[in-house]
Amino acid sequence: MARKNRVRLQFDGFQEYAERIDKLNGDLKSIMTEALVESKKLVTPGIKKRMEKHRRTGVTESMINDINEVTWNGSIGEIKIGFSFGNGEGLPSIFLMYGTPRMKKDTALYNSIYGSKIKKQISDLQKEIFERELERLGG
């Protein structure tokens, strides 16, 4: 994850898979988009489950980003994960994940977004999607 609140394609061998799909005339952009959207779908339920513990008004929980929009900067696609901060209502999520002098941090909430276990799951899912596409294309 390059920026803290985004997911990128991040599995070993990505470049080789992309080249093989491209050589087989596959639609690389659509498969990349699918991999990013599915990655977000993997992460978001864990965030929501963890936020149930902190529910008081539901405002911070409502700031969990549910929009499955992939943004492209040239050939690099990203999808936002975690919390939206547009109007400041997602800011308490930072305090929950990192703690304050009066409040212990919620490591499980942090790990549901940035932890090595979820990163590994994302990587495995993305690789599986690319492998499935290669199989479909006959390569």
Side-chain angles (χ1 to χ4, degrees):
M1 293 181 194
R3 289 191 207 156
K4 281 290 191 178
N5 64 341
R6 300 187 193 304
V7 170
R8 290 185 176 183
L9 292 165
Q10 56 190 24
F11 62 89
D12 289 335
F14 164 72
Q15 190 65 37
E16 292 81 19
Y17 280 89
E19 288 172 5
R20 288 172 56 196
I21 289 172
D22 195 40
K23 284 180 184 175
L24 294 168
N25 294 323
D27 186 356
L28 194 53
K29 190 170 183 176
S30 72
I31 197 67
M32 290 168 70
T33 299
E34 178 187 347
L36 290 169
V37 169
E38 292 302 317
S39 297
K40 181 172 182 162
K41 288 179 181 177
L42 177 70
V43 173
T44 303
I47 300 168
K48 289 182 176 185
K49 182 174 177 22
R50 200 61 204 159
M51 280 303 297
E52 290 173 2
K53 174 184 174 186
H54 301 289
R55 178 175 258 255
R56 291 200 180 126
T57 64
V59 173
T60 303
E61 189 175 6
S62 72
M63 298 310 293
I64 296 172
N65 186 318
D66 284 328
I67 301 168
N68 290 329
E69 180 182 340
V70 176
T71 56
W72 292 92
N73 185 5
S75 62
I76 299 173
E78 308 180 310
I79 191 165
K80 292 181 180 179
I81 60 167
F83 297 87
S84 299
F85 297 98
N87 56 4
E89 292 176 340
L91 188 61
S93 67
I94 299 293
F95 304 131
L96 292 172
M97 287 189 282
Y98 293 95
T100 68
R102 294 183 181 175
M103 181 179 69
K104 185 178 174 189
K105 66 183 176 179
D106 185 341
T107 305
L109 177 60
Y110 177 89
N111 287 337
S112 71
I113 302 170
Y114 307 115
S116 59
K117 183 178 177 183
I118 195 69
K119 285 183 181 181
K120 171 89 169 89
Q121 290 173 343
I122 290 169
S123 178
D124 291 346
L125 174 69
Q126 291 174 348
K127 188 172 185 175
E128 179 184 315
I129 290 169
F130 272 71
E131 287 173 347
R132 191 173 49 225
E133 180 66 6
L134 274 173
E135 187 177 308
R136 188 187 71 79
L137 292 170

